[in-house]
Amino acid sequence: MERRAWSIEGNHQKLDGGAMFGNAPRALWEHWAPPDERNRIDLACRCLLVQEEGRNILLEAGIGAFFAPPFRDRYGVMEAHHVLLDSLQAAGVSHTDIDVVVLSHLHFDHAGGLLTAWEPSKRWKAELLFPKARFLVSRDAWDRARKPHARDRASFIPELNALLEASGRLELIDGPRSETLGQGWSFHFSSGHTPGLLVTKIEGQRGPVAFASDLIPGRAWVHTSISMGYDRFPELLLDEKRALLDNLVERRGRVFFTHDPSCALAHVTRDEAGRYGSTQGKESLAGQAL
């Protein structure tokens, strides 16, 4: 089956570089991601649109524009308008055309784009976009969003949980396959960043593509020793990352990066010393066959 893909930009963020690189010293990470005067680095909130046999499948929704201005500044959201909707339009589709949305997890920078943009009105309430889509998320990630730990409670959007449940189109994933997606799609589960994170693997004509989400948010995080300060279980995450990278190297696979500001897709490499890297990076995808 032919699958064509678009990298879909959402709203961009600037977040603290130290938080994004965990216990790695600034002397190391600033070469990969130069910080601004507030120690913040540039981050994308990139999604992947896949078209196959007359249906549109969107992996994640980015951060969106649901934050009111004070919170938009706090969390480093760079644009006030809903960039995701503009990017979908540039790819020739609307949010109303999306048949399936796969959510790796429900942190606001990956799922906030499901909501309408904030408006300066006392009567404004967030509403759910994507009116015909089924929303796929792992059962563990759903449970985490409904009952977060104090450490990550601020990462979730309580009103989004209620809207997803009320839609009647929420599908909880327990295993490696989904009948909704069918052949050529599979899931791997990761809990190092947050319990139940879905890594979606798509079979392409030139090998698999892994939407790694926050397991490997960008090219700098391909290095197995690098994790984020936001990760719940960093040592577990490093083991999970190594297992995914080994599989992709063996199958000549590629990783799609959600947070890398300048690279959407790259092949995974491993040298004779066992060090992982990436090559043949693409800044964007615009209808290429996977």
Side-chain angles (χ1 to χ4, degrees):
M1 179 191 300
E2 183 179 68
R3 297 184 170 96
R4 295 197 169 273
W6 281 257
S7 54
I8 302 296
E9 296 293 329
N11 292 64
H12 297 80
Q13 269 188 296
K14 285 182 177 287
L15 288 181
D16 184 85
M20 286 301 298
F21 285 101
N23 64 350
R26 175 170 170 163
L28 176 63
W29 61 255
E30 68 180 357
H31 297 290
W32 299 325
D36 65 11
E37 69 282 356
R38 296 171 64 181
N39 205 49
R40 304 178 307 174
I41 64 172
D42 294 329
L43 296 169
C45 287
R46 185 182 294 108
C47 313
L48 177 62
L49 172 66
V50 178
Q51 292 186 319
E52 60 173 39
E53 290 190 344
R55 66 176 181 172
N56 299 303
I57 301 166
L58 184 67
L59 279 73
E60 300 203 340
I63 197 169
F66 72 95
F67 278 132
F71 291 95
R72 190 166 68 236
D73 178 70
R74 177 183 299 179
Y75 294 110
V77 184
M78 302 309 296
E79 305 95 351
H81 65 287
H82 206 317
V83 175
L84 173 69
L85 301 184
D86 295 341
S87 299
L88 286 171
Q89 185 176 18
V93 299
S94 163
H95 73 99
T96 61
D97 299 318
I98 301 300
D99 299 289
V100 183
V101 178
V102 183
L103 299 160
S104 67
H105 60 305
L106 290 169
H107 286 173
F108 63 71
D109 56 324
H110 297 260
L114 298 178
L115 300 174
T116 51
W118 178 85
E119 296 178 3
S121 168
K122 292 182 179 180
R123 296 184 179 181
W124 180 81
K125 292 181 65 176
E127 297 180 3
L128 190 63
L129 298 167
F130 304 93
K132 74 172 186 178
R134 290 189 64 80
F135 302 103
L136 276 56
V137 64
S138 82
R139 189 177 301 276
D140 285 348
W142 175 249
D143 290 343
R144 183 65 168 200
R146 294 176 65 227
K147 298 178 181 178
H149 189 274
R151 188 177 186 272
D152 61 358
R153 184 174 292 116
S155 296
F156 296 102
I157 313 168
E159 56 265 44
L160 175 59
N161 300 341
L163 289 168
L164 288 173
E165 196 162 29
S167 75
R169 292 176 277 118
L170 178 66
E171 180 179 333
L172 300 182
I173 303 298
D174 291 304
R177 304 282 178 181
S178 161
E179 290 187 7
T180 296
L181 290 177
Q183 293 296 316
W185 296 78
S186 61
F187 299 118
H188 297 259
F189 296 87
S190 167
S191 292
H193 178 66
T194 187
L197 184 144
L198 281 182
V199 174
T200 302
K201 189 176 288 184
I202 311 159
E203 297 300 326
Q205 297 175 355
R206 292 172 292 169
V209 173
F211 190 100
S213 187
D214 280 342
L215 178 60
I216 311 175
R219 295 184 85 168
W221 290 267
V222 169
H223 301 285
T224 51
S225 60
I226 301 298
S227 62
M228 295 188 289
Y230 300 111
D231 296 331
R232 292 290 291 122
F233 306 104
E235 292 183 3
L236 174 61
L237 180 136
L238 299 185
D239 293 340
E240 293 170 338
K241 178 164 59 173
R242 185 177 293 107
L244 176 63
L245 291 172
D246 282 341
N247 179 266
L248 291 174
V249 168
E250 291 168 7
R251 299 191 60 200
R252 301 181 61 83
R254 294 157 287 170
V255 176
F256 186 88
F257 300 117
T258 188
H259 285 313
D260 196 297
S262 59
C263 182
L265 185 75
H267 280 81
V268 178
T269 63
R270 184 178 58 207
D271 66 17
E272 294 181 355
R275 294 182 296 248
Y276 300 94
S278 60
T279 188
Q280 302 178 45
K282 291 184 177 294
E283 184 176 353
S284 64
L285 303 173
Q288 287 95 328
L290 283 180

